[in-house]
Amino acid sequence: MKRPLVKALAGAMLLLSHYSLALSSDTEQPIYIESESQHLDMATNTVTFTQNVVLTQGSIKILADKLIVIRPEGQEGDEIIEAYGKPATFEQTMDDGKEIHGEANKLRYEVGNEFLKMSTNAMLEQSGNQVEGNVITYEIDKQQLVAESDSTKRVTTILQPSTKSSSSQDASTSDEQ
């Protein structure tokens, strides 16, 4: 009975370790934002983008209905990006070439801290493996992901079974002959 639990925990650790392999060059790339409209408030160093917002930074892509960029005290590189949608989504390519997909009603990306927080109906998926919760936070520099629930729904993790490679299947077929 303990063996399946150990395998499930090991699988969960492998799933979460994949999320730490984001393209290392993404945070060094410029941020591009396209939208139907934007409003700049110079007094608060805030820009609000609305309608069909698309943000790209390297392989990172965020789609939202509304996106707010705050530059605290005018400090370049310390931007806080808040994306809103039903859902707002993001995609990123990992160093191993695999895609990661996330969605939530609100995304908060702190550029300088390399910190991502997804809240309200949050979901993170890669290669069929999935984590769902009310809030999912990811500290990129510490490579730590935390999923939390609320009083109405528990955290859910779906782990796909590993598949045997065709070479190991071919080897077992030739052994039988």
Side-chain angles (χ1 to χ4, degrees):
M1 194 69 161
K2 289 183 181 178
R3 187 168 217 103
L5 178 61
V6 170
K7 285 184 179 180
L9 289 173
M13 295 305 290
L14 286 173
L15 166 72
L16 298 181
S17 70
H18 287 294
Y19 294 120
S20 65
L21 300 175
L23 276 179
S24 51
S25 62
D26 280 343
T27 57
E28 299 167 5
Q29 302 298 317
I31 297 172
Y32 297 94
I33 303 170
E34 297 177 352
S35 67
E36 299 296 322
S37 67
Q38 80 175 35
H39 177 263
L40 169 63
D41 184 340
M42 292 178 150
T44 61
N45 293 312
T46 302
V47 184
T48 302
F49 301 87
T50 56
Q51 301 175 356
N52 301 317
V53 183
V54 179
L55 176 146
T56 56
Q57 182 184 29
S59 75
I60 295 170
K61 184 175 187 179
I62 295 176
L63 304 175
D65 298 326
K66 178 180 178 180
L67 188 126
I68 300 171
V69 178
I70 304 161
R71 186 175 271 178
E73 300 176 20
Q75 289 296 110
E76 186 174 325
D78 286 339
E79 292 84 3
I80 296 169
I81 298 170
E82 294 181 345
Y84 301 88
K86 294 211 181 268
T89 64
F90 79 89
E91 297 175 356
Q92 186 173 21
T93 302
M94 305 292 105
D95 279 336
D96 63 5
K98 293 182 181 177
E99 296 284 326
I100 186 171
H101 173 81
E103 58 184 50
N105 290 4
K106 180 180 178 184
L107 304 174
R108 179 182 172 97
Y109 176 38
E110 296 177 11
V111 176
N113 296 330
E114 296 188 36
F115 177 80
L116 175 68
K117 179 179 182 179
M118 304 182 331
S119 53
T120 311
N121 300 316
M123 184 277 298
L124 198 56
E125 184 269 331
Q126 182 185 35
S127 302
N129 299 310
Q130 189 170 311
V131 177
E132 296 178 9
N134 187 51
V135 176
I136 298 174
T137 58
Y138 180 49
E139 295 183 61
I140 299 165
D141 59 338
K142 294 181 182 177
Q143 300 182 353
Q144 295 180 350
L145 182 138
V146 176
E148 299 174 306
S149 66
D150 61 14
S151 61
T152 61
K153 188 176 179 183
R154 295 170 50 111
V155 171
T156 303
T157 300
I158 301 169
L159 302 173
Q160 297 298 322
S162 63
T163 57
K164 294 182 180 180
S165 68
S166 59
S167 61
S168 64
Q169 289 175 350
D170 292 343
S172 65
T173 305
S174 63
D175 290 342
E176 292 173 3
Q177 295 176 356

